[in-house]
Amino acid sequence: LVKTVPQRGLQIAHVDLKLIHNAFQVRSMIEREAVLNFVHLASDDELSTIEASHQDILSRASGDATNDAALLNDAQAVDWGLHDRMVDAMGNNILSDIYRVNSLRVRLIKLEHSVITPARLIPAMFEHLAFIAALRQRDGTQASRLLEEHISSARNRVMSAPLEQVRAERTPPQILT
């Protein structure tokens, strides 16, 4: 994400369509395997706890509460926490490290889309609850399909970013001195 340029300083990675495609492809590949593993590995108690944390966010997100910074921060932690937990449950430190670095790429790509906004909070929680329900039913095929829809939704939000954001992404990489 940041590389050292001799005698110039640090260069922040340039976001372009190739990076977007590659980062979301890596995310999808890793998380697909993770959810297929998690469907068999996660205990009923763990899945109940995960589901309850999502339901808690939804119950707090009534009316104007979706603009509450603490709620949005908690929702983001629940969102990222579920994805991280599924990947870490594979027990493969190499994959977990690759996933963490790629997550940083995805967050760089998404810019303001990288965090849960008031408009995205409720749909994101419902997307999670859908594949959590499939996990609770131990239906790996359905959980994988619903997770893929969730990731596609995130990718589509990035791809439909406002034109001024796309233009900003086409500017030369930033050099920090």
Side-chain angles (χ1 to χ4, degrees):
L1 298 179
V2 178
K3 66 180 179 179
T4 302
V5 179
Q7 300 178 1
R8 296 198 62 205
L10 300 175
Q11 183 178 27
I12 297 173
H14 180 63
V15 175
D16 58 15
L17 290 177
K18 183 176 180 178
L19 178 64
I20 292 169
H21 171 76
N22 291 344
F24 276 94
Q25 184 179 41
V26 168
R27 178 183 178 190
S28 182
M29 291 168 59
I30 293 173
E31 288 195 43
R32 181 176 39 251
E33 290 304 311
V35 78
L36 291 173
N37 176 68
F38 202 63
V39 74
H40 301 293
L41 181 77
S43 69
D44 290 339
D45 288 343
E46 181 175 16
L47 292 173
S48 293
T49 300
I50 291 169
E51 182 178 39
S53 67
H54 284 74
Q55 292 290 358
D56 177 59
I57 295 296
L58 284 173
S59 69
R60 292 171 52 199
S62 60
D64 290 336
T66 56
N67 288 316
D68 177 50
L71 172 62
L72 294 173
N73 288 337
D74 291 348
Q76 190 64 74
V78 166
D79 185 316
W80 289 342
L82 172 58
H83 294 275
D84 292 347
R85 173 64 185 118
M86 289 190 306
V87 171
D88 290 343
M90 289 192 291
N92 184 322
N93 291 341
I94 295 171
L95 273 179
S96 289
D97 290 345
I98 291 168
Y99 181 77
R100 294 293 185 284
V101 170
N102 194 64
S103 288
L104 293 174
R105 282 188 189 97
V106 168
R107 292 167 192 168
L108 171 69
I109 290 166
K110 291 181 180 181
L111 303 174
E112 71 269 4
H113 300 285
S114 67
V115 295
I116 289 183
T117 62
R120 268 304 293 154
L121 187 149
I122 293 172
M125 291 298 113
F126 278 119
E127 288 172 7
H128 277 206
L129 286 170
F131 72 80
I132 291 167
L135 287 169
R136 290 177 63 98
Q137 294 171 358
R138 307 301 176 181
D139 185 344
T141 302
Q142 179 74 344
S144 179
R145 185 185 66 74
L146 292 166
L147 177 65
E148 187 60 39
E149 287 178 11
H150 176 63
I151 293 170
S152 292
S153 174
R155 182 180 52 243
N156 292 341
R157 280 192 311 280
V158 170
M159 297 304 285
S160 65
L163 182 58
E164 57 272 9
Q165 181 179 337
V166 173
R167 284 187 186 129
E169 291 170 356
R170 289 184 181 159
T171 60
Q174 184 178 0
I175 301 289
L176 301 176
T177 55

